[in-house]
């Protein structure tokens, strides 16, 4: 009885009652789950000589990461995890504009924190693979674990168009899945449908730029690599995926 009473009091003290704070914490956690899984799968692909180049593993990891993120916070914050999606929701008046900068900051912060978690998790692998030098380009680069870099043949215009089309397909697809007037997805399986959508996009549009489709997914980890030792080159290099 004493233990039960203590846990009940603890839950009461720790319970967050402010709705905005609840949504921000949920969005932070969902984005963390998304990026820690995506960057983790990239870390395995980059640092493991046995799996290097296995794009299917990376794409599948990214898709499943989206599913986990949506299941984590979909019922609280909507699990946007993406400023582009939050912006689209504002445009169709499904999300208040005043919340947009707050969510964008929280999503970027969650991405930054998750990049740090992946760095700690794969610290030994990163330093072993890179021979003790953190580089953004070359055969032993490790920056692409955290952020995405265009292939060396992709121009700025082509890269911009690549992301506009890819993100547009993502948002239209998610809206179609969410639309109850459309062909309904069985309740509870919406995150699975979104994950399959992401897998489809990454499998068909990932070659040019690595298919980030998410400003927070790219900016937060890129900022982390800047402060963690890769330096300002992370904002200039266009040949990161060595």
């Amino acid at each position: 009885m004493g233990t039960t009473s203590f846990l009940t009091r603890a839950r009461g003290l720790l319970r967050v009652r402010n709705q905005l704070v609840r949504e921000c914490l949920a969005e932070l956690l969902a984005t963390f789950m998304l990026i820690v899984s995506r960057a983790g799968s990239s870390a395995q692909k980059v640092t493991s000589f046995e799996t290097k180049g296995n794009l299917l593993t990376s794409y599948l990891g990214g898709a499943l990461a989206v599913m986990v993120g949506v299941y984590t916070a979909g019922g609280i914050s909507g699990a946007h995890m993406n400023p582009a999606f939050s912006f689209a929701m504002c445009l169709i008046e499904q999300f208040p504009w005043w919340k947009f900068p707050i969510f964008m900051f929280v999503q970027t912060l969650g991405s930054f924190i998750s990049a740090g978690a992946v760095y700690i998790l794969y610290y030994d692998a990163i330093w072993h693979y890179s021979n003790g030098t953190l580089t953004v380009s070359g055969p032993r680069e490790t920056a692409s674990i955290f952020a995405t870099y265009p292939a060396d043949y992709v121009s700025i215009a082509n890269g911009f168009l690549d992301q506009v089309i890819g993100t547009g397909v993502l948002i239209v697809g998610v809206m179609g899945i969410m639309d109850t007037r459309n062909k309904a997805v069985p309740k509870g399986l919406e995150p699975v449908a979104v994950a399959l959508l992401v897998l489809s996009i990454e499998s068909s549009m990932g070659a040019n730029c690595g298919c980030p489709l998410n400003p927070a997914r790219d900016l937060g980890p890129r900022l982390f690599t800047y402060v963690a030792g890769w330096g300002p080159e992370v904002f200039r290099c266009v040949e990161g995926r060595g």
Side-chain angles (χ1 to χ4, degrees):
M1 290 294 292
T3 302
T4 303
S5 177
F6 171 77
L7 292 176
T8 300
R9 289 198 300 271
R11 283 196 296 268
L13 291 173
L14 295 174
R15 183 178 180 183
V16 179
R17 292 174 172 79
N18 183 282
Q19 183 61 28
L20 177 60
V21 175
R22 284 166 58 89
E23 291 177 1
C24 288
L25 289 175
E27 196 68 15
L28 180 72
L29 181 58
T31 308
F32 176 88
M33 297 296 287
L34 167 68
I35 306 304
V36 79
S37 297
R38 296 197 69 164
S41 65
S42 294
Q44 291 191 134
K45 179 176 75 72
V46 170
T47 62
S48 174
F49 293 99
E50 288 77 15
T51 61
K52 186 171 176 61
N54 189 345
L55 290 177
L56 179 59
T57 300
S58 181
Y59 291 157
L60 185 59
L64 293 177
V66 173
M67 181 184 71
V68 172
V70 176
Y71 273 126
T72 298
I76 303 173
S77 67
H80 293 188
M81 302 180 290
N82 187 340
F85 183 75
S86 298
F87 182 76
M89 292 296 99
C90 290
L91 289 178
I92 63 173
E93 300 182 345
Q94 295 296 311
F95 190 69
W97 281 103
W98 67 268
K99 282 187 180 181
F100 173 66
I102 299 174
F103 265 46
M104 183 170 61
F105 172 78
V106 170
Q107 291 155 359
T108 304
L109 177 62
S111 298
F112 184 93
I113 295 172
S114 62
V118 170
Y119 178 70
I120 294 171
L121 179 63
Y122 284 97
Y123 180 85
D124 289 341
I126 291 171
W127 283 96
H128 171 72
Y129 176 79
S130 65
N131 290 326
T133 304
L134 301 179
T135 59
V136 182
S137 60
R140 293 298 182 93
E141 64 80 22
T142 47
S144 64
I145 291 174
F146 303 96
T148 56
Y149 294 87
D152 55 7
Y153 56 80
V154 176
S155 65
I156 293 178
N158 193 186
F160 177 79
L161 184 62
D162 176 271
Q163 288 308 291
V164 169
I165 294 176
T167 305
V169 171
L170 172 67
I171 292 174
V172 171
V174 172
M175 287 182 175
I177 292 170
M178 293 169 52
D179 190 350
T180 57
R181 299 167 298 178
N182 202 350
K183 187 174 179 63
V185 175
K187 186 173 179 58
L189 292 180
E190 296 90 348
V192 178
V194 174
L196 291 174
L197 169 65
V198 171
L199 180 60
S200 172
I201 296 172
E202 292 192 336
S203 299
S204 59
M205 303 183 190
N208 283 339
C209 300
C211 213
L213 308 177
N214 184 339
R217 178 261 178 273
D218 192 84
L219 179 59
R222 195 180 299 272
L223 288 171
F224 173 81
T225 55
Y226 172 70
V227 301
W230 280 264
E233 191 68 18
V234 298
F235 294 105
R236 296 195 295 264
C237 181
V238 296
E239 300 177 321
R241 294 182 294 158

